[in-house]
Amino acid sequence: MKIEAIHLDFIEIPLKAPFQTSFGTDSLKTTWILTVLSGGIAGYAESVADVEPLYNEETHATVYFALKNDLLPRLAGLDLQRPEDVDRLLAPVRGNRMAKAALEMAIWDWFAKSQGVPLWQLIGGDAARMRIPVGVSIGIQPSPEALIDAAQGYLAQGYRRLKVKIKPGTDRVPLEALRRAVGPDVLIMADANSAYRLDDIDILKALDPLNLMMLEQPLAEDDIIDHRFLREALQTPICLDEAVRSDEDARKAIELGSCDIINIKVGRVGGHAVARRVHDTAMADGVLVWCGGMLETGIGRAHNLHLSTLPNFRLPGDTSASDRYFHEDIIDPPFRLNADGTLTVPDGPGIGVAPDPDRIRRFRTHHEEWPMGGGQWKGGGKPHGNPTSF
Ligand code: OSB
Ligand code: MG
């Protein structure tokens, strides 16, 4: 397959409710929707970067320029034989994993469609896992009462576990209130998005009696050393999110004893090939994984669900239904929660869903088309083209 053109749509969709984490509040989902075109087939993906580098260092701007200057020049004119080749071809480019992921994932969708098979089959997923158990990630709420209200609403819909965002000062009190309100059997976990230091160990130890399933990324976003010390001191299992960017990171974190569980986000680690290697590395060492999310639209969510069919995804993921995030998704029909708290993996070719053209036109604030036929795409790290067009 030779890429003939890339289309980029920058879209802005209002979130139903603002989503607050320890690093900021989002009221709007913004993302690049990437379309890879070749031979009359379109492959789709989205980037999980945000406006500002608060979750990690990537942003919409870095994704745009990495694609344009560094990633696409390495694929231009090449006849790709397998989606796995993309990860290898892009390996010389350091970092920029969200940009790599968007491109690589769109190419996986393209290959699956060209073979007429659902993406999960190409990834090597398990045919018996077409209903993916899901949980919900609840942003920091203004009060414990508001958290309990939100949580009870989600439990009533059927979500299988609650993930509660925490930050210093908004941690033990709301979590205790929630545990008291929902009882001992509901699966609860907390996600700190790197808001604590090892010095805060007493605050985190005080969460042990709450019987949380896990504590996600309490310490620095690039740390796997202090997480090891913390893990030794806590009863609550430690899950890494931000700190695992590759299968090599996963191997090191597991060898050091820095985590019990890994949150795999295909967008964070650089695409499906790396995500699968993280999954396999963890499985070989008996470390459980689950599929994280970044408030994706239906396009990214579909990719996440296909990935979740791999056998070691044995804990509910953050791949909630469309209506947990948006009044209107960019896919139609949206993802709906089954009564048993699962989402169904789409069974059509590729990711099995496509952006609705009318909704893309309504939600997009920017559109670019990059023709790449004949391999003429330049690049090489210098800004080029008309800089005023962006
Ligand atoms: O740390 O998992 C995270 C959303 C944005 C940035 C980081 C995170 C999250 C979530 C949302 O927790 C998960 C979802 O998509 O529902
Ligand atoms: Mg997280």
Side-chain angles (χ1 to χ4, degrees):
M1 164 276 199
K2 272 192 197 181
I3 301 177
E4 291 166 9
I6 300 282
H7 290 187
L8 279 174
D9 289 291
F10 191 76
I11 60 151
E12 308 194 9
I13 316 182
L15 291 171
K16 266 184 160 174
F19 186 72
Q20 188 183 352
T21 64
S22 62
F23 58 78
T25 305
D26 264 336
S27 308
L28 199 62
K29 172 65 192 178
T30 52
T31 186
W32 290 113
I33 301 290
L34 199 105
T35 310
V36 167
L37 293 154
S38 182
I41 296 174
Y44 300 106
E46 72 183 81
S47 149
V48 297
D50 212 328
V51 179
E52 288 193 287
L54 305 180
Y55 166 79
N56 70 9
E57 74 289 349
E58 292 189 74
T59 65
H60 298 313
T62 69
V63 166
Y64 175 90
F65 283 107
L67 286 168
K68 187 167 183 162
N69 290 346
D70 307 304
L71 304 181
L72 289 169
R74 284 178 163 77
L75 301 188
L78 295 186
D79 191 7
L80 300 170
Q81 299 303 307
R82 308 172 329 137
E84 283 89 345
D85 293 342
V86 176
D87 170 54
R88 188 175 48 77
L89 290 162
L90 301 182
V93 175
R94 306 298 186 207
N96 293 285
R97 291 178 179 276
M98 292 177 172
K100 287 182 181 179
L103 179 56
E104 197 252 20
M105 291 159 74
I107 293 173
W108 274 91
D109 181 30
W110 188 97
F111 268 96
K113 282 174 178 155
S114 76
Q115 296 172 24
V117 299
L119 178 60
W120 65 263
Q121 218 168 304
L122 207 58
I123 293 177
D126 179 351
R129 298 168 51 105
M130 292 301 112
R131 287 163 80 95
I132 306 295
V134 296
V136 62
S137 174
I138 308 177
I140 295 169
Q141 299 295 314
S143 66
E145 295 70 38
L147 173 63
I148 292 166
D149 265 5
Q152 280 171 338
Y154 290 127
L155 290 174
Q157 289 175 48
Y159 284 104
R160 296 227 187 153
R161 69 96 172 99
L162 305 171
K163 165 165 137 181
V164 178
K165 292 289 190 180
I166 58 170
K167 63 175 185 181
T170 312
D171 38 37
R172 189 177 50 81
V173 171
L175 283 169
E176 267 175 12
L178 179 64
R179 176 54 85 203
R180 224 176 298 123
V182 300
D185 296 332
V186 171
L187 299 177
I188 303 178
M189 57 174 290
D191 185 1
N193 289 108
S194 305
Y196 297 84
R197 319 285 307 253
L198 205 48
D199 283 352
D200 299 318
I201 199 158
D202 291 339
I203 302 174
L204 299 174
K205 248 188 191 158
L207 305 179
D208 274 344
L210 297 176
N211 192 27
L212 301 180
M213 266 182 108
M214 70 191 92
L215 179 57
E216 182 176 342
Q217 194 72 35
L219 307 179
E221 50 92 31
D222 59 352
D223 173 78
I224 56 170
I225 308 288
D226 284 353
H227 278 103
R228 180 211 172 137
F229 296 126
L230 184 66
R231 176 167 175 253
E232 280 167 2
L234 297 194
Q235 282 161 25
T236 310
I238 299 291
C239 170
L240 292 179
D241 172 356
E242 285 89 329
V244 173
R245 293 162 175 244
S246 64
D247 46 315
E248 276 298 282
D249 285 353
R251 177 183 65 77
K252 292 169 190 170
I254 294 167
E255 276 184 23
L256 277 173
S258 306
C259 62
D260 300 280
I261 297 165
I262 296 176
N263 165 339
I264 297 184
K265 291 178 181 166
V266 54
R268 181 192 76 229
V269 300
H272 284 300
V274 196
R276 192 167 63 183
R277 292 202 301 271
V278 174
H279 165 276
D280 294 351
T281 301
M283 188 157 82
D285 283 311
V287 167
L288 294 182
V289 304
W290 54 278
C291 185
M294 297 285 284
L295 313 177
E296 288 96 336
T297 75
I299 296 298
R301 193 164 312 286
H303 276 282
N304 292 342
L305 290 171
H306 283 277
L307 182 71
S308 301
T309 62
L310 291 173
N312 196 36
F313 282 94
R314 282 185 286 154
L315 299 170
D318 270 350
T319 47
S320 313
S322 299
D323 72 355
R324 178 260 169 271
Y325 309 93
F326 318 111
H327 291 292
E328 241 185 334
D329 202 332
I330 61 166
I331 61 164
D332 186 23
F335 279 108
R336 294 201 177 86
L337 188 70
N338 299 316
D340 62 352
T342 61
L343 248 55
T344 302
V345 183
D347 58 5
I351 57 173
V353 299
D356 179 70
D358 170 59
R359 293 182 184 193
I360 290 284
R361 270 192 297 276
R362 271 194 290 127
F363 290 125
R364 82 177 167 204
T365 55
H366 184 81
H367 175 78
E368 280 189 39
E369 301 191 0
W370 297 343
M372 293 179 57
Q376 82 280 28
W377 190 258
K378 298 288 187 292
K382 295 180 188 158
H384 56 88
N386 176 6
T388 60
S389 69
F390 178 60

